Amino acid sequence: MHSKKQTPVKYYVGIDVGSASVRAALVDGFGTVVAHADQPIQIWEPQPDHYEQSSADIWDACCSVTKKVVCGVDASQIRGVGFDATCSLVVVDKQFQPLAVNREGQNHRNVIMWMDHRAVSQVELINATQHRVLNYVGGVMSVEMQPPKLLWIKENLQESCWEKAGYFFDLPDFLSWKATGVTARSLCTVVCKWTYTSDGGWDDSFWKMIGLEDLVKDKYEKIGNHVLSPGESVGKGLTPEAAKDLGLPEGIAVAASLIDAHAGGLGVIGADVKGHNLPCENQPITSRVAMICGTSSCHMGVSETPIFVPGVWGPYFSAMVPGLWLNEGGQSATGKLIDHVIRDHVAFPELQSKAAASAHSIYTYLNSHLDLIKKSLPVGFLTVDLHVWPDFHGNRSPLTDLTLKGMVVGLTLSRGLDELALIYLATIQAIALGTRHILETMQAAGHHINTLFLCGGLSKNPLFVQMHADITGKPVVLSKEVESVLVGAAILGACASGDFASIQEAMAKMGKIGRVVQPNHEHKRFYDKKYKVFLKLVEHQREYRSIMNS
């Protein structure tokens, strides 16, 4: 008898740069994460609303985690590499050396993070122009996008940074340059964060109108005049130097990158849902929204024709799924907000010690504690008199008001663990109510959404997931692989390798469903009332501001 020779397994490396850590995964052609590693990266906060990182620190972490996941694997089986990252701004000089984005002249701190809000006056100036490119960012540009940050650099660091700068990269594009030596940009980054349009390219009049005409003079070399679709192969693959850094063979295919949230969307939104009794089965992918929830949250919906949604970014053509328009809602602080609320509470030390004694995370312990105190009530009903408005870091969508502040209504003098558990629950509910607000705005503009696909760190919290199902009234699909963002990055590498004919084919093959969480429709009336209160909170905030400013 002759046994058939087995075809060697093909692997792809996905590298994800989040806000606080870099992660890598070795993923096979069926979307299974075979190996995974992570490493923290440094964040500097020199003053309020200024957040900075180091591109050298980030690249070192990319190399460290990649070497770990490919250790012991036959290099000939690794076919491609894909990067995703936060949409942070990287500044280097003409020799590609880091340039300080701060007044202290600390050159290693050459990255303005996505969540940095230093450019408030600059974004107000940009929005006052009412230029036509703003139609593609929900009508109002966010302070988290790159033009206001570039303008801030020009106005505040003219000699030390602006005049010396050779290149301004979105972080995902910096990584593909570091890997290949090619300065090509991804359509995802330049369309979503820089005002590039897939049909018309850069708009000279916009940059001239906001005072950044310098970028037009050199034919946009500093911000990108060679644009590739996500998943397209960049240059000749890994350079010898990058291959050595990463522990991979020279010449392996490197994909044009994605923003991290978009990689998460890619990893979940195209999964085959047959047999799960979901409303999106036998429906186009446009009936789904991918929600990527970590430090912040993004809500990704696609459409066959452009839909302009007030306060929601986009429509962006082919920015995530080729051939489809993308709208992107978002909440600037979600995981960060939950952590802030818990760690700032006077009962946090007690929570820490009790969670450690039970060998559980603080979130698992809080979820169990809520089950203990709920008595005969559904857990969610415990907040009947406690309400949170979650915009502690401003509102990204759908109100696009970065001046909004967080609110808590219903506090008492209680200082114990019960009170901490309740404020934790109310904060999670507020985030879910914010998601409902975004979805309703998208649907009012023409989207038809019936199913949520969740991924990211917060999707590991069953309370967070159930509250999103109950409050939106939609089933929530969790992917088989918790690390969907890494699967999305690996999908890019798989496409760059040529092993799949298209992103869509790779999405269907490598995206897998794990669990489905259905909404409890018996709780609808309670959450409808909570939603009415939620909307009243922002009304009251605007009303009292108006009184104080009159």
Side-chain angles (χ1 to χ4, degrees), residues 506-549:
M507 283 166 58
K509 192 77 178 270
M510 295 175 70
K512 293 284 187 293
I513 285 186
R515 194 162 63 91
V516 174
V517 176
Q518 295 288 349
N520 188 328
H521 293 296
E522 291 178 10
H523 300 169
K524 182 181 185 300
R525 185 166 176 269
F526 176 81
Y527 290 117
D528 284 349
K529 289 191 284 187
K530 285 282 287 187
Y531 187 56
K532 282 183 182 177
V533 173
F534 180 79
L535 297 177
K536 283 286 182 190
L537 289 177
V538 72
E539 270 185 46
H540 290 319
Q541 182 171 160
R542 286 175 161 170
E543 188 178 343
Y544 77 62
R545 279 189 172 186
S546 174
I547 292 168
M548 295 306 296
N549 293 329

Side-chain angles (χ1 to χ4, degrees), residues 156-188:
N156 292 274
L157 304 172
Q158 173 98 29
E159 291 182 11
S160 63
C161 184
W162 184 258
E163 290 175 1
K164 293 179 181 177
Y167 301 91
F168 298 99
F169 286 104
D170 219 279
L171 182 52
D173 296 322
F174 170 82
L175 297 172
S176 61
W177 164 75
K178 196 75 175 152
T180 65
V182 176
T183 60
R185 307 309 206 272
S186 167
L187 186 66
C188 173

Side-chain angles (χ1 to χ4, degrees), residues 313-333:
W313 297 341
Y316 305 130
F317 186 66
S318 289
M320 185 173 76
V321 181
L324 294 178
W325 294 85
L326 171 70
N327 282 108
E328 180 187 348
Q331 295 161 297
S332 292

Side-chain angles (χ1 to χ4, degrees), residues 152-469:
W152 184 92
I153 291 172
K154 183 175 181 180
E155 291 179 356
N156 292 274
L157 304 172
Q158 173 98 29
E159 291 182 11
S160 63
C161 184
W162 184 258
E163 290 175 1
K164 293 179 181 177
Y167 301 91
F168 298 99
F169 286 104
D170 219 279
L171 182 52
D173 296 322
F174 170 82
L175 297 172
S176 61
W177 164 75
K178 196 75 175 152
T180 65
V182 176
T183 60
R185 307 309 206 272
S186 167
L187 186 66
C188 173
T189 59
V190 293
V191 165
C192 295
K193 305 299 173 186
W194 297 73
T195 74
Y196 188 90
T197 59
S198 49
D199 53 353
W202 298 114
D203 189 318
D204 293 358
S205 66
F206 169 71
W207 297 101
K208 290 173 181 175
M209 187 179 283
I210 67 169
L212 294 179
E213 62 283 345
D214 331 33
L215 299 175
V216 181
K217 288 175 188 172
D218 65 0
K219 297 181 181 175
Y220 298 101
E221 185 182 1
K222 288 183 179 179
I223 61 172
N225 50 24
H226 179 204
V227 178
L228 299 174
S229 294
E232 201 173 333
S233 186
V234 181
K236 296 178 180 177
L238 280 183
T239 63
E241 184 183 359
K244 185 180 177 185
D245 287 348
L246 294 162
L248 292 168
E250 179 185 341
I252 280 182
V254 176
S257 53
L258 280 173
I259 298 165
D260 55 350
H262 300 65
L266 207 64
V268 295
I269 202 169
D272 185 352
V273 299
K274 285 187 179 67
H276 290 271
N277 195 30
L278 286 163
C280 64
E281 187 174 346
N282 300 320
Q283 296 287 316
I285 196 174
T286 53
S287 63
R288 310 174 182 190
V289 158
M291 184 174 160
I292 300 85
C293 29
T295 305
S296 62
S297 291
C298 293
H299 307 72
M300 315 293 231
V302 291
S303 57
E304 291 178 359
T305 56
I307 298 175
F308 293 85
V309 186
V312 172
W313 297 341
Y316 305 130
F317 186 66
S318 289
M320 185 173 76
V321 181
L324 294 178
W325 294 85
L326 171 70
N327 282 108
E328 180 187 348
Q331 295 161 297
S332 292
T334 48
K336 189 173 177 66
L337 174 61
I338 293 167
D339 276 353
H340 171 77
V341 166
I342 292 171
R343 293 174 190 277
D344 258 24
H345 198 278
V346 69
F348 178 62
E350 181 189 354
L351 169 64
Q352 266 188 312
S353 61
K354 287 187 172 178
S358 67
H360 286 125
S361 74
I362 56 174
Y363 309 105
T364 301
Y365 190 89
L366 282 171
N367 293 350
S368 300
H369 192 76
L370 286 165
D371 282 333
L372 284 177
I373 63 176
K374 71 174 185 178
K375 297 177 182 168
S376 60
L377 286 171
V379 164
F381 289 24
L382 288 168
T383 59
V384 64
D385 290 321
L386 185 61
H387 309 282
V388 172
W389 179 263
D391 291 331
F392 285 51
H393 198 52
N395 183 284
R396 187 191 296 173
S397 304
L399 302 178
T400 60
D401 185 349
L402 61 91
T403 68
L404 284 174
K405 303 290 190 286
M407 299 172 72
V408 182
V409 176
L411 293 173
T412 69
L413 292 174
S414 175
R415 293 157 54 87
L417 202 52
D418 288 5
E419 181 68 17
L420 172 51
L422 290 176
I423 191 71
Y424 159 74
L425 170 61
T427 302
I428 286 176
Q429 289 176 331
I431 292 166
L433 290 161
T435 291
R436 176 169 167 174
H437 196 193
I438 291 166
L439 295 180
E440 288 191 358
T441 304
M442 290 174 71
Q443 289 176 147
H447 279 275
H448 301 284
I449 300 158
N450 57 35
T451 312
L452 291 180
F453 287 68
L454 256 63
C455 68
L458 291 176
S459 70
K460 300 172 190 175
N461 184 334
L463 180 67
F464 184 90
V465 175
Q466 190 64 59
M467 287 299 106
H468 274 77

